[in-house]
Amino acid sequence: MSDADVELPESIELAWGLRERPGKGPRRSLTIEQVVAAGIRVAEADGLAAVSMSRVAGELGMATMSLYRYVSAKNDLLTLMADAAYGEPPTPRGPDEGWRPAVARWAYGTVTAIRRHPWIRQVPVSGPPMGPNGVRWMEQGLAALRGTGLRGTERLSTILLVDGYARYWATLTADMSEAAAREQLSPDDVGARYWQQLARLTRHGPYPAIRELLTDAEMESDGDADAEWRFGLDRILDGVEALIRDRATAG
C-alpha cells in the first residue's frame, strides 16, 4: 500500500504540513497552528468546557462555519490542542544514560505537561497518538528502551504502562490541587486535615491496618509531595527491569 492510499484526517494532515491548502473552496487565511493556539487561549482562560467552535471562531474573528475548513469537528480541535500543549518531549536518552533514568524523565515530562496545562487531562483520548508532538513522545519513549532486549511490542506496552501511571498521578494531584484551591487551602493543609479526619473515624473499630498506616505516615512524612509518585514509578520500572534481566538470562 502506498502513502497515497493511507487516509489521514484532514486536521492531522494540516498539523503535519502535508496539506497546505484546500483543493476546493476559498483559500485558508490562517494556519492550523493559529486555530489551535486560539483554542488553547480559551482553555487556559476559562477551562476546557468553554472551548466551542463558535468561541474559538470568535477568538479568531471569523464565522463559525469558516472554522470547519480547518477542523472537521470539535473533538479534532481538542486533540490538536492537547498535542500542541504537551509540546516537545524531554531531551532524548544520552549516550551514557541508562534506560531507567531516561524512561523516568520521559514519564515525569508527562506529569509536568499536565500540571502546566491542567485542562489536558479532560481531553478525551480518542486513539493512539497521531499529532506531531504525540508521535515524537512515542518515538522518544521507545528509543529510551532500545538495547534492553525487549521486543518492539513490549517496548510499546512498557511506555503505555508508564504513561498511564504518569497521567493518573498528574490527574490525581491536579484534581486535589483544584479542590484545595476552591476551599482556599493549600494541598498540604487538605492532606493534613484528611489524615486527622481519618484518624478520628478509625480510632475505634476493626481498622488496625489504617491505624498502623497513620502512625507510620506521621513518623515518615517528609513533606515531599512527589515521594509517592517516585515510589510507584520505581516499582513499575523494577518489574520491567526484572523482565529485561530474565530475557538476558534466557539468552
Side-chain angles (χ1 to χ4, degrees):
M1 180 181 293
S2 67
D3 287 349
D5 296 326
V6 178
E7 184 176 353
L8 292 169
E10 183 177 0
S11 57
I12 293 297
E13 288 188 334
L14 287 167
W16 281 85
L18 302 177
R19 182 187 297 204
E20 297 299 332
R21 56 174 299 178
K24 296 180 181 179
R27 182 183 181 88
R28 289 187 174 95
S29 58
L30 299 173
T31 64
I32 190 67
E33 289 81 10
Q34 289 173 308
V35 172
V36 170
I40 290 176
R41 287 196 298 272
V42 174
E44 299 283 358
D46 299 317
L48 193 68
V51 178
S52 66
M53 297 296 273
S54 59
R55 174 73 184 273
V56 174
E59 184 81 11
L60 293 165
M62 63 166 59
T64 302
M65 292 307 297
S66 298
L67 194 60
Y68 285 95
R69 294 195 292 113
Y70 297 86
V71 285
S72 58
K74 177 183 171 180
N75 283 345
D76 291 342
L77 174 60
L78 297 180
T79 298
L80 293 176
M81 286 167 51
D83 185 76
Y86 270 108
E88 292 283 341
T91 54
R93 175 182 171 184
D96 298 322
E97 186 179 20
W99 68 267
R100 264 187 87 134
V103 171
R105 283 193 303 100
W106 181 86
Y108 197 68
T110 295
V111 175
T112 302
I114 294 176
R115 287 178 173 174
R116 187 169 56 241
H117 305 287
W119 54 267
I120 293 178
R121 71 192 194 278
Q122 299 166 349
V123 176
V125 178
S126 57
M130 291 184 67
N133 287 330
V135 171
R136 292 184 190 110
W137 277 78
M138 182 168 67
E139 166 65 23
Q140 189 166 302
L142 293 169
L145 291 162
R146 187 179 293 125
T148 59
L150 297 180
R151 295 187 290 270
T153 53
E154 292 171 335
R155 294 198 296 272
L156 177 61
S157 293
T158 297
I159 65 170
L160 286 174
L161 173 63
V162 171
D163 183 62
Y165 173 64
R167 288 171 183 265
Y168 158 77
W169 180 256
T171 297
L172 175 66
T173 52
D175 287 347
M176 293 176 66
S177 293
E178 289 181 1
R182 286 194 294 270
E183 297 188 52
Q184 297 183 329
L185 296 171
S186 72
D188 287 344
D189 290 338
V190 173
R193 183 180 65 182
Y194 170 74
W195 291 120
Q196 292 166 359
Q197 292 171 333
L198 186 64
R200 180 180 177 184
L201 292 170
T202 60
R203 185 171 296 125
H204 307 290
Y207 305 105
I210 291 180
R211 288 194 291 272
E212 183 179 0
L213 166 66
L214 291 168
T215 301
D216 290 346
E218 184 176 350
M219 293 180 60
E220 297 176 7
S221 177
D222 59 4
D224 186 351
D226 280 335
E228 292 178 21
W229 149 260
R230 289 193 295 273
F231 178 85
L233 181 62
D234 282 343
R235 301 297 73 75
I236 292 172
L237 297 183
D238 283 347
V240 176
E241 187 167 13
L243 173 61
I244 291 171
R245 186 170 55 248
D246 290 347
R247 187 65 51 74
T249 302

